Amino acid sequence: MDCSPTVVSHTARLVQLEGVQDEHSKLLRELNVMLKEFTRIKYALYGALTLYLMQTLGISEVLKRMIL
């Protein structure tokens, strides 16, 4: 059975598009990992900033006295 040039061309294009889709999926997974790491770092920085502000304003001493 002979395939027409159009069918061959479309089949080749589909294979190419599947490769592009695989590459995009890989990139999206990598971006997702980076986003999770960024989020973790962001919240760690927020926590450190909060602690710094509490110490600077003396709130941490007030809380320590309230707890003890």
Side-chain angles (χ1 to χ4, degrees), residues 19-63:
V20 170
Q21 184 180 20
D22 290 344
E23 182 65 23
H24 286 175
S25 294
K26 177 184 168 196
L27 291 172
L28 284 172
R29 284 191 297 274
E30 291 174 5
L31 282 172
N32 190 36
V33 169
M34 286 187 245
L35 178 61
K36 287 179 182 177
E37 182 68 12
F38 172 78
T39 301
R40 187 186 68 76
I41 292 169
K42 177 179 72 173
Y43 285 120
L45 288 173
Y46 285 161
L49 178 60
T50 301
L51 181 61
Y52 172 77
L53 287 174
M54 287 175 63
Q55 289 175 343
T56 301
L57 298 174
I59 297 171
S60 59
E61 290 300 318
V62 173
L63 290 175

Side-chain angles (χ1 to χ4, degrees), residues 2-18:
D2 288 334
C3 291
S4 72
T6 303
V7 171
V8 172
S9 174
H10 286 166
T11 303
R13 184 72 176 139
L14 284 173
V15 170
Q16 181 185 17
L17 288 174
E18 286 174 353

